[in-house]
Amino acid sequence: MYSGYITDISGIKVGHEQSEEGMTGCTVIICENGATGGVDVRGSAPGTRETDLLKAEKMVDKIHAVILSGGSAFGLDAASGIMKYLEEKDIGFDVGVTKVPIVTGAVIFDLNIGNYKIRPDFNMGYEAAKNATEKENRQGNIGCGMGATVGKILGPNNAMKSGLGSASINLGDLWVAAIVSVNSFGDIYDYKTNRQIAGVYDYESKQMLNTYKIMKGENKTLGFPMRNTTIGVIATNAILTKSEANKVSEMAHNGFARSINPIHTTLDGDTIFTMATNEINSDINLIGTLAQEVMSRAITNGIIHAESSHGLCSYEDINI
């Protein structure tokens, strides 16, 4: 496993709330002072909130929270609970009569693993925000990682349990960190060794299979399960413009590509946000390159920390 957590970035808080019965949950990343926001959506089946305002030409230049949620599109409701909590703390974009918290976010599909009638809602979002702390460091089956699975080309019965992962890197005063819910269509590889660590699994022969090989063998263009999406956040203490934050999100997707295969398919809604707390000067190319690495590290951690559930094995089950 790799060290660090996104809360290593000063001013970043993380909170989780989840349901074991629903096997779903949400994770909120909060910057009360506001962070320069960026985003890059690569997958073709995204479920997102407030991504347009992160374009460089749009007026609002600071965001106050990012929500990573289960529940598919239903899970976007959790953002309203986060807004309520932040407004109560007088955090947000000042419009005179009140302050409007700027909350962006994305969702994963996890409706098929637990009770699909239970999904992140207003109350779950509020509790996640209420739970947020600068000391949070849990990974695996927590928050948006609760219902995360990977390797679904043969359907949910041949998938593996994954989870939420985080990691951080620092070079002197510069910090770059990531948090990610690993819920991909494809298989997962440790980026340093290129060893497959999770993915489609044959429960009878007790061995991992290869999604790409199965795709080529099936030789079909439609019919693969549309129950995927990997979503995450890059945070840094560097000073960034919105345009630069968008570039960091774009470069961080290379971390997805290093660790997940296949990636960015029409069956995924892969999305990465960036939050910059604007404390120190650094080179955008260095930040983006570190973002790639730390995202790959976080993906590995999301696999290693996951625990088996609902008949799906995890990394720890096949690597004892």
Side-chain angles (χ1 to χ4, degrees):
M1 66 184 67
Y2 298 98
S3 63
Y5 202 84
I6 197 169
T7 48
D8 290 334
I9 309 296
S10 179
I12 295 292
K13 294 182 177 181
V14 171
H16 308 290
E17 186 65 17
Q18 58 280 318
S19 165
E20 290 190 10
E21 181 183 350
M23 282 305 292
T24 191
C26 60
T27 296
V28 61
I29 302 91
I30 295 175
C31 182
E32 294 183 353
N33 294 327
T36 302
V39 69
D40 189 40
V41 182
R42 292 286 178 91
S44 296
T48 57
R49 183 184 194 275
E50 296 277 40
T51 52
D52 276 356
L53 65 77
L54 298 179
K55 294 178 180 178
E57 71 272 16
K58 304 303 181 183
M59 180 185 70
V60 174
D61 63 349
K62 294 291 189 298
I63 61 176
H64 302 97
V66 175
I67 174 73
L68 305 178
S69 180
S72 190
F74 295 111
L76 292 172
D77 184 35
S80 296
I82 296 166
M83 289 189 69
K84 172 69 172 175
Y85 176 81
L86 292 177
E87 184 187 24
E88 290 175 352
K89 294 197 68 177
D90 199 34
I91 296 169
F93 180 71
D94 195 342
V95 294
V97 295
T98 188
K99 289 183 179 178
V100 180
I102 306 301
V103 181
T104 65
V107 295
I108 66 169
F109 185 98
D110 59 2
L111 299 176
N112 60 327
I113 186 170
N115 182 349
Y116 75 92
K117 293 184 178 181
I118 299 175
R119 49 251 185 169
D121 57 10
F122 181 98
N123 292 330
M124 194 178 286
Y126 186 91
E127 290 301 315
K130 185 178 177 180
N131 294 337
T133 170
E134 293 181 346
K135 296 182 180 180
E136 179 60 67
N137 63 2
R138 288 174 290 175
Q139 302 185 66
N141 296 15
I142 189 76
C144 190
M146 196 70 177
T149 55
V150 297
K152 287 163 275 191
I153 190 169
L154 298 180
N157 293 331
N158 289 96
M160 284 182 62
K161 186 69 183 71
S162 54
L164 188 80
S166 188
S168 67
I169 299 174
N170 75 294
L171 292 176
D173 293 333
L174 173 66
W175 284 85
V176 180
I179 193 166
V180 60
S181 178
V182 189
N183 190 62
S184 62
F185 168 73
D187 304 321
I188 310 300
Y189 297 80
D190 184 278
Y191 82 106
K192 280 194 173 180
T193 65
N194 203 35
R195 179 175 68 94
Q196 185 178 346
I197 57 175
V200 59
Y201 192 73
D202 186 330
Y203 282 82
E204 291 187 4
S205 64
K206 296 185 178 180
Q207 63 179 346
M208 279 190 289
L209 306 178
N210 185 289
T211 295
Y212 182 42
K213 289 182 180 179
I214 294 171
M215 288 178 73
K216 291 190 292 183
E218 291 286 332
N219 192 27
K220 59 183 179 181
T221 57
L222 295 173
F224 298 127
M226 298 183 66
R227 298 168 179 170
N228 319 289
T229 292
T230 298
I231 53 177
V233 176
I234 294 290
T236 179
N237 63 347
I239 299 171
L240 296 179
T241 64
K242 284 176 69 176
S243 178
E244 290 171 332
N246 283 322
K247 183 62 180 178
V248 170
S249 290
E250 177 185 311
M251 294 178 71
H253 272 285
N254 293 330
F256 277 15
R258 287 176 177 176
S259 300
I260 305 172
N261 187 43
I263 189 64
H264 302 146
T265 71
T266 60
L267 313 171
D268 294 292
D270 305 318
T271 301
I272 298 177
F273 296 90
T274 291
M275 302 175 74
T277 60
N278 300 303
E279 295 180 354
I280 68 167
N281 289 301
S282 187
D283 179 76
I284 178 65
N285 298 296
L286 173 61
I287 297 166
T289 303
L290 291 173
Q292 299 172 46
E293 180 174 356
V294 78
M295 183 56 76
S296 283
R297 291 185 178 189
I299 289 170
T300 296
N301 282 344
I303 297 300
I304 291 176
H305 287 87
E307 298 176 2
S308 59
S309 182
H310 285 65
L312 298 180
C313 71
S314 65
Y315 173 87
E316 67 177 4
D317 298 314
I318 63 177
N319 286 273
I320 296 175

